[in-house]
Amino acid sequence: MRLLLAIALVLAPLAGARAHPHGWIDIRTEVLTDDDGRGTGLRQAWLFDEMYSAFMLDDLEREGFGREEGLARLLRQDVAALAPHDYFTRVEVDGEPVRFGEVRAYANGVAAGRIWFRFELPLAEAVEPAAGELRYAVFDPTYYIEILHHGDAPVELPDPLAERCEVRVIAPDPPAEIVSLAAVVDRSDESDAGLGRHFAQWVELACAPSS
């Protein structure tokens, strides 16, 4: 995966050959709904760290691409690399995973020297938040990249949900032994459930039934 490889090449010497994580992404998410107020997907905005962004922009320039052409090429590569991994996203209802549809709306660019990547990840079927506990997380299963919500309002709900739902952003609380493991484990080694899941930041929606 070029995205992971690029981060590895530039950050591994600084972070230590075996320490996690090697890259950082700040994200914002928006829950998408249909006319009935059911959840239909997630609109995500990723902001890559400065070092990864500088490395990728320099790499594209060395390969002879202009800024616009290079970003378009990078966008295609990132979509192709992340699609088999569900864009590092897991949505659950009552603890059961929800399947996704195909991402069709996506874009990227550069802001203040940092590459951003935005896309809409649809659910295969709409879900009613009040029917069970709806929660989601965006995380790299290997914990090679740390992905956390950022900003004063990192999670956005449309009006139909905002009126009847409470959002809770649950910070990761890994046990001490997992933190120690993350400091030394190679990215090819994972715990049984995936190392990254222990460091995942979960967004939970507690919703009253729709009227």
Side-chain angles (χ1 to χ4, degrees), residues 5-209:
L5 178 60
I7 292 177
L9 290 174
V10 70
L11 292 180
L14 300 179
R18 297 172 63 84
H20 284 60
H22 292 306
W24 296 265
I25 300 174
D26 295 330
I27 66 168
R28 295 175 183 268
T29 56
E30 178 185 356
V31 179
L32 303 176
T33 61
D34 60 16
D35 293 339
D36 297 322
R38 298 179 302 172
T40 60
L42 291 174
R43 180 178 291 128
Q44 301 189 31
W46 294 17
L47 189 61
F48 293 90
D49 65 75
E50 292 90 345
M51 193 168 294
Y52 164 79
S53 299
F55 176 86
M56 289 307 301
L57 293 174
D58 288 346
D59 187 48
L60 291 171
E61 184 176 344
R62 284 195 302 270
E63 292 181 15
F65 294 100
R67 174 65 62 90
E68 185 174 344
E69 181 186 9
L71 286 172
R73 183 170 184 261
L74 179 62
L75 179 62
R76 292 191 298 270
Q77 292 173 337
D78 286 349
V79 169
L82 288 166
H85 303 278
D86 291 332
Y87 295 82
F88 290 164
T89 302
R90 184 177 178 90
V91 177
E92 296 180 352
V93 174
D94 285 335
E96 294 298 320
V98 174
R99 294 181 299 107
F100 300 109
E102 181 181 355
V103 167
R104 299 187 182 275
Y106 48 81
N108 70 353
V110 180
R114 298 176 67 178
I115 294 175
W116 55 262
F117 173 40
R118 298 171 187 159
F119 60 96
E120 292 183 8
L121 179 59
L123 303 182
E125 297 180 359
V127 299
E128 168 53 57
E133 179 183 321
L134 174 63
R135 68 176 194 157
Y136 63 87
V138 183
F139 62 96
D140 172 11
T142 68
Y143 195 48
Y144 201 67
I145 305 170
E146 183 176 76
I147 306 173
L148 295 175
H149 282 80
H150 178 75
D152 295 333
V155 179
E156 182 178 348
L157 298 182
D159 289 339
L161 284 187
E163 295 171 358
R164 64 187 182 93
C165 296
E166 176 188 354
V167 177
R168 296 190 294 265
V169 180
I170 310 301
D173 186 23
E177 60 269 22
I178 295 297
V179 174
S180 298
L181 176 63
V184 297
V185 71
D186 183 80
R187 67 177 287 243
S188 62
D189 298 325
E190 301 180 26
S191 61
D192 292 340
L195 181 62
R197 188 180 178 95
H198 295 283
F199 295 88
Q201 184 186 57
W202 287 88
V203 176
E204 296 183 351
L205 270 65
C207 302

